[in-house]
Each structure stands twice: as C-alpha cells, then as structure tokens.
Amino acid sequence: MDNSPIIEIEKLVKKFPMGRGEFTALNGIDLRFKQGEFAGLIGPSGSGKTTLLNIIGSLDVPSSGTAVVMGRTIENLTARESAKLRKESLGFIFQSYNLLAVHTVYENVEFPLLLLNYTASERKKMVSDALEWVGLTEKIKSKPPQLSGGECQRVAIARAMVKRPSLVLADEPTANLDTANSHNILKTMETLNRELKTTFLFATHDDKVISYLRRKIFLLDGKVDKEEITSN
Amino acid sequence: MILAIKLAYRNLIGAGLRTWLSVTVLSFSFVVIIFMKGVLTGWDRQAKTDMSNWEIGGGQYWQKNYDPYDPFTLNESHAPVPSELKDEITAGNIEPSLIVPGTIYPQGRLQSVVIKGINPRQSILLLPSHKLDTIADGIPAIIGSLMAKSLKASAGDHIMLRWRDANGTFDAGDIVITGIFSTNVPAVEAGQIYIPLEKLREIMMMPDEATILTFRDGMKTLTGLEGWILMTKDELTAPVDKMIKTKSAGQSILFGILLLLAMLAVFDTQVLSIFRRQREIGTYVALGYTRRQVVGLFTVEGTMHSVLAAIVSAAYGLPFLGWMAKNGWKMPVDTSEFGIAIAQTLYPVYSAGLILSTVLIVTLTTAAVSYWPSRRIAEMNPTDALRGRLQ
C-alpha cells in the first residue's frame, strides 16, 4: 500500500448561516487518509460527517482550514477544476442511489466514462467489468425503477467504480437496504478495495457498515471524538 | 455538446408523455405557422396572377391625366393612341381602352358608373369581351356578377345609359346586357360596364382615343411616350403587396399567441424538471459536470423539444401541407363580395425559406425559453440539490 496521504485535512471549520447566527458543522478537524484505506466517519445525525464528505468530494468548501485531496487544495479550486477532480478521480455512492431514472443500468454506469471521452469499445469493456464486479451483468437493459434497492445500490457502486477512481466517497450507502443486501454491498466494496486498492471513505452510523471498516473515525458535534484502527 | 445532445435526447424520450405533450403543442405551431404563411404567399401570387389576367396584363400605359382613384379626372383622361404603338395594337399585343364616366338608370334608379370601351376581339385579358361582338337592339354591354347583383340585372336586360360627349353634350341610349362574368378581381367590375371600344369612341366623339393601353405580358416596353405614363406590372400590383403585408402583420399576432402557448408548455416543463430533478442535477455535478454544463444540458434538453416537434410536424404536417397545396383551401363563404382580390379557393405556396425560417425562429425561441429557468441551476448548492432540498 502506498503510504502517501490521499487526503490531508487541517484545522477544518465549516459554518452554515442559521437565522441571524451561524451553525458550526465542523470545528477544527485534522485528518489524513492514505491510499487504499477502508475508513468511515461515524457519528449521529448533525455530527458533521456528510459535510466533511462533501468537502472532501469538492462539492462544498470549508469556511476555514485546509482540505487537500489528491494534491489539490479544495478551497482554491475553480468550479471547472473541482468538476475535473470529481470527474477524473472521485466516485460517489449516495444513500438514495441517485441513479438517472430514465437511463438503463448500462447507460448509468457508462455515464462517467462519457464525461472522460473514452471510446465506445473502451466504454463497453469497462462497463462490462464494472457490472461483473457487482454481479449485475444480466440487468444491463433494465432501468432503475425496475430494480430492487440492493440492485440499485450495486449499480451505483458500479458507476462509482467504473472509471477506477482513487477515492470513493459513500454517504450512508446501506441506509435504504435490508441486512442481507447491506452485507452483500459491503462485501462487494471491501473486495474492490482489496483488489483495486481504491480508497473508500464512508459517512455512516450503521453498525453493519461499521463492522466492515478498518479505520473508524468517530465525530461528535463537528469534532473528532475518537479513532479506532482495526487490522483485518 | 454531442454528449449534452445525447443525454438530452435520452432524458426527453425517457420522460415520456410529458415530453410528447410539449412536442405536440410545438409541432402544431410549426404546421399552423407554415400553413398560414403559405396561404398568404399563395394568395399574394394568386392575386397578382388574377390581376394580370383580368386587369393589367403585362403592364399599362396611362394617359397622363388618368387617376383611377379620382373619377373627376376621367373627362380629361383621353388622348389619341400614340402612332408608335399602332403596329402592336394591330397585332393584338396592345389593347387600348377608353374610360369615361356615365350614369345608368336601372329600374328607375340612378347610378354612376364607369364606362369602359374595349376591343371585343382582345385576347390579353380574360374579360369575355367576345360577348360584345354581337348584334343587339341596343349597345351591347358586359358586367360583372357583383355589378349584376347590385343592379338586379340579368343577361338580356335593357338599361338606360347616359353620357356626356367630348363636346359636353349629354346623350343617352339603351344598353343590352349580353354577358355577365365572374372574377376574383373586384377592381374590374365594381361600378363598371364594358361596351365595344369603337361604339364608345363614336358616342363620345373621341375617334382613335384611349385612356389606358394594356400590353401583353413579356412585351418590350417604351418609355418617353409623349402624354403617356408607363405603369409596370410591379407598380400596378404594389397595392396587393401592401395588403398582404398588412395581413401578414395581423397574422403575426396569431403566430405570437401560438408560439406563446407552445413556449409556455416548454417553460412549464423546464421549471417542473428543475424542481423535480434536483437530485439528478446534484448527481451530474457529483459525477463531474460544472453547474454551467448542467445549465447547458437542460437548455439543450428544452431546445430539443423543438427539434422533436419539427420531426413530428414533418410526419403529419408534410402530407397535410402537400394535400392543401394540391387541393387548396376553400373559403367557407362567398369571397366575391370581399372587395379584395381573393379566390374562392386559395392554394398555399411553401418555400424552403419559409420552412427553414419558421424552424429557426421556433428553435431559437425555445432555446431562449429553455435557458431562462435553467439559469437557476447555476445558483444551486450541489449538496442541497443532491438531497432534493431546494425549494
């Protein structure tokens, strides 16, 4: 495993306007993640885990402090640069899947590759590989409304993984799934993490997810409360 | 751009009925606008052709005092036919007409008329002048059907005609209606009676004189004829162009309303899309689109309504427009009393320019209307959009 940090966060603060005042969602976070980690931000609602994930994903910017993701300082990126970072290097998995409802499974997974200008034959090969990883090769012509929740989330994983990003950010990926599907999904992500060395960073408070994590960062009221590292 | 078109197409087709409702309204606008514009073009062409056939031929020379809009000039609007044109007149390529004021007394009433003397053997105009070439117990005369209706006159009727000759002496005699003709050109029949040219010259004591000289289409024209003014076909049909232009301006209001309805459908679809598809917008951003690119995608998507509408219009509109061009649009009422040169059946004429300009205008308008609500995306916070939290 490469020991160089893929994410470096220093004294990160994020405040949101609330009424006449401000709400501090993140209050002085310092964290580092290395390539190939399978880590999670754990905490109750309002602890700041999704906000931190959004900043790492360059969907939001910090109020103060620094977030460097794959050598790029998030707060200094232009809209075009942050879009480029997400397009080339990041994969996202959302709680409610966020699949494009009118597109087929194949088209949903193909989408990130279209943005990266891969040729049709390259796209076909990469989409096939991704769908094979998640075991959905027989559903390529189905549309999201025809799939179960577990299948939708597997499509979302395939979409996040198809371009082989360095970092995948997963926000409550099992929140809408039953136990069996949750374990299935987590095993798939764990396998991809081991085989492709992709860094996975979760935001969760689901015990099932937590049980799979090798590094657990507990957030409380916008601060790192404690950290646990499991070697398995 | 190609990716945006591809995605927009997928999204539109995937949206199903919502897309097709807007597309149907837009396609209706396409067909109606092209059809109505085609009708105006066809009307313009038909009116000019009818004017040429019935009234003006290939153009005219007017005696310098002649003003068709001022009947008081008629007494002075006559002169001997120029000698330079005698050969063409003999060959039948130019037909002189003498026009004088008169009065008729149908059923004891008095009505002012314009008496036109024409050559019964003329072949330049469609007027049935041959019906003047007959022996009758009065002066043979032909009138238009509208005139006949207002006079309550039929073929064979005798009507007293009074005139004032070149010496200022009033005289009178009976005319016999030997023919009644129907025409789409009201200007050739309203308040007019046609009698043989030589007879009119004789009773007016104006031998070899004329008011206008109508020449055949395509004839070489002479300028500088002493006492005569050359009126080209374009000059004589200019009022038709003016009338069509006025009609066209009126029609633009209808087109505006039609376009407004179609654009409301597109605008509504766009606003609804942006509201309902916030998660999708957030997802596009998360996957690597800038917000501006998402604005572009939604604008292309909205604009594509008009592209689909053009295709749908072609599917049902082309057969319809073709059928109308062939069979014409029959006026639901008698058009002979409209007072304008309009046929009972109008044949629309469509040009490539008309179709292309209509498609272009509708597409550009759709693009503008699609862009307007899409701009809101640029102000969206992607993290809120991802959760569908925006209001």
Side-chain angles (χ1 to χ4, degrees):
Chain A
M1 190 185 294
D2 186 359
N3 280 329
S4 59
I6 191 168
I7 303 166
E8 293 176 271
I9 293 165
E10 279 181 26
K11 297 174 185 166
L12 192 89
V13 175
K14 179 67 185 178
K15 293 176 180 175
F16 292 106
M18 182 182 266
R20 289 181 183 174
E22 283 180 328
F23 167 71
T24 306
L26 297 172
N27 193 4
I29 302 282
D30 289 296
L31 282 171
R32 284 177 176 221
F33 296 92
K34 292 173 192 164
Q35 179 73 49
E37 283 201 57
F38 201 73
L41 305 168
I42 302 158
S45 295
S47 59
K49 53 191 188 298
T50 298
T51 304
L52 183 54
L53 214 61
N54 284 337
I55 292 172
I56 293 168
S58 76
L59 292 169
D60 209 345
V61 287
S63 304
S64 64
T66 309
V68 180
V69 178
M70 278 173 278
R72 272 159 279 190
T73 309
I74 297 298
E75 59 270 28
N76 293 340
L77 296 179
T78 62
R80 190 176 286 272
E81 286 166 344
S82 62
K84 189 169 185 277
L85 172 66
R86 291 192 297 271
K87 183 166 68 177
E88 292 175 353
S89 311
L90 304 182
F92 287 87
I93 299 168
F94 303 100
Q95 176 182 338
S96 47
Y97 328 128
N98 288 37
L99 299 178
L100 304 174
V102 298
H103 294 214
T104 62
V105 165
Y106 183 92
E107 288 163 351
N108 265 286
V109 178
E110 184 193 28
F111 188 86
L113 304 178
L114 288 171
L115 296 180
L116 290 167
N117 297 323
Y118 281 98
T119 63
S121 58
E122 285 171 332
R123 291 200 305 268
K124 194 175 177 186
K125 171 80 173 61
M126 292 167 86
V127 172
S128 298
D129 287 348
L131 289 173
E132 207 167 298
W133 296 334
V134 297
L136 275 177
T137 46
E138 288 172 7
K139 299 271 184 178
I140 57 169
K141 288 182 181 169
S142 303
K143 290 187 175 175
Q146 300 166 317
L147 302 175
S148 67
E151 287 172 330
C152 282
Q153 198 58 297
R154 282 195 275 157
V155 176
I157 294 170
R159 183 178 67 184
M161 292 301 299
V162 69
K163 61 190 173 191
R164 307 203 180 195
S166 306
L167 173 63
V168 171
L169 303 169
D171 189 5
E172 305 277 12
T174 56
N176 291 337
L177 302 179
D178 58 29
T179 306
N181 267 315
S182 297
H183 284 295
N184 201 336
I185 294 293
L186 288 162
K187 277 177 190 163
T188 304
M189 289 197 270
E190 196 180 38
T191 308
L192 291 168
N193 166 257
R194 288 187 192 284
E195 289 182 2
L196 302 175
K197 307 295 178 207
T198 306
T199 307
F200 277 79
L201 181 58
F202 295 81
T204 187
H205 58 253
D206 183 348
D207 289 338
K208 296 187 288 295
V209 179
I210 295 168
S211 67
Y212 281 82
L213 299 175
R214 293 199 292 275
R215 182 180 173 195
K216 299 161 192 165
I217 298 147
F218 292 89
L219 297 181
L220 191 62
D221 297 332
K223 291 180 178 174
V224 176
D225 187 38
K226 60 176 178 173
E227 232 186 293
E228 288 176 11
I229 295 176
T230 316
S231 53
N232 52 358
Chain B
M1 190 62 175
I2 293 168
L3 178 59
I5 292 170
K6 208 172 179 178
L7 284 173
Y9 177 76
R10 279 181 191 173
N11 288 340
L12 276 183
I13 298 298
L17 190 61
R18 197 153 39 94
T19 298
W20 294 114
L21 278 174
S22 303
V23 165
T24 305
V25 176
L26 254 180
S27 78
F28 183 67
S29 305
F30 270 124
V31 174
V32 170
I33 290 172
I34 292 171
F35 173 65
M36 295 304 286
K37 287 257 181 201
V39 166
L40 273 190
T41 311
W43 182 8
D44 185 45
R45 197 173 284 187
Q46 165 259 319
K48 285 179 176 174
T49 306
D50 285 350
M51 272 184 82
S52 177
N53 289 340
W54 283 89
E55 188 184 4
I56 60 169
Q60 292 175 330
Y61 295 101
W62 287 4
Q63 200 279 334
K64 64 178 182 184
N65 297 324
Y66 177 59
D67 179 356
Y69 302 111
D70 183 2
F72 295 108
T73 63
L74 289 179
N75 282 323
E76 309 302 324
S77 310
H78 52 88
V81 173
S83 56
E84 300 95 309
L85 303 177
K86 288 275 165 80
D87 288 346
E88 293 291 359
I89 290 171
T90 309
N93 291 327
I94 296 179
E95 288 294 347
S97 302
L98 183 61
I99 304 173
V100 295
T103 310
I104 52 171
Y105 298 86
Q107 289 116 33
R109 291 181 285 121
L110 175 152
Q111 185 173 332
S112 295
V113 292
V114 171
I115 311 166
K116 285 188 171 175
I118 58 165
N119 175 10
R121 293 189 185 85
Q122 67 82 28
S123 60
I124 295 177
L125 304 174
L126 289 178
L127 288 166
S129 52
H130 62 279
K131 291 186 175 173
L132 298 172
D133 195 8
T134 182
I135 297 167
D137 54 346
I139 303 168
I142 57 171
I143 55 175
S145 54
L146 268 183
M147 181 75 170
K149 199 174 171 186
S150 77
L151 296 177
K152 293 179 181 156
S154 312
D157 283 1
H158 287 68
I159 302 171
M160 184 187 282
L161 171 69
R162 193 180 70 143
W163 63 88
R164 191 182 179 200
D165 67 22
N167 298 322
T169 308
F170 284 99
D171 203 350
D174 269 0
I175 57 165
V176 182
I177 307 298
T178 55
I180 295 172
F181 60 87
S182 289
T183 175
N184 298 323
V185 187
V188 299
E189 64 162 319
Q192 295 169 55
I193 60 169
Y194 294 83
I195 66 172
L197 175 63
E198 287 309 320
K199 185 67 185 174
L200 185 60
R201 282 172 169 169
E202 180 196 321
I203 63 177
M204 292 298 295
M205 297 181 178
M206 295 176 184
D208 203 32
E209 292 201 9
T211 306
I212 57 174
L213 306 162
T214 305
F215 52 82
R216 206 178 282 285
D217 220 349
M219 261 200 63
K220 191 182 171 190
T221 53
L222 294 176
T223 51
L225 278 179
E226 183 68 33
W228 295 83
I229 301 162
L230 172 66
M231 299 295 290
T232 63
K233 203 170 174 178
D234 286 344
E235 287 169 323
L236 291 168
T237 56
V240 176
D241 291 329
K242 275 187 186 166
M243 179 189 70
I244 296 293
K245 206 173 171 184
T246 310
K247 292 276 170 199
S248 190
Q251 233 183 30
S252 299
I253 295 168
L254 172 71
F255 298 158
I257 293 168
L258 263 174
L259 261 183
L260 188 71
L261 284 174
M263 291 307 126
L264 268 176
V266 173
F267 186 84
D268 198 39
T269 305
Q270 287 292 95
V271 171
L272 193 68
S273 279
I274 290 158
F275 181 75
R276 288 179 55 177
R277 293 164 63 190
Q278 289 175 29
R279 276 214 174 95
E280 187 182 328
I281 291 166
T283 307
Y284 286 129
V285 175
L287 292 177
Y289 260 26
T290 61
R291 279 176 287 185
R292 279 182 182 279
Q293 283 173 315
V294 183
V295 172
L297 173 64
F298 273 68
T299 305
V300 169
E301 204 173 301
T303 310
M304 205 171 266
H305 280 99
S306 59
V307 176
L308 289 177
I311 295 166
V312 171
S313 304
Y316 75 89
L318 285 180
F320 167 74
L321 295 173
W323 187 84
M324 287 304 289
K326 193 179 171 192
N327 296 289
W329 182 23
K330 288 185 177 55
M331 294 287 112
V333 291
D334 183 8
T335 56
S336 60
E337 294 181 32
F338 281 17
I340 46 176
I342 182 168
Q344 194 63 43
T345 304
L346 287 177
Y347 293 90
V349 175
Y350 320 107
S351 62
L354 166 67
I355 293 168
L356 284 177
S357 61
T358 306
V359 171
L360 196 67
I361 288 168
V362 175
T363 306
L364 288 177
T365 313
T366 314
V369 167
S370 304
Y371 173 70
W372 192 258
S374 305
R375 290 178 316 155
R376 193 163 176 259
I377 295 169
E379 296 154 16
M380 279 185 183
N381 182 337
T383 58
D384 288 339
L386 272 168
R387 295 177 196 186
R389 273 184 181 175
L390 298 166
Q391 293 301 314

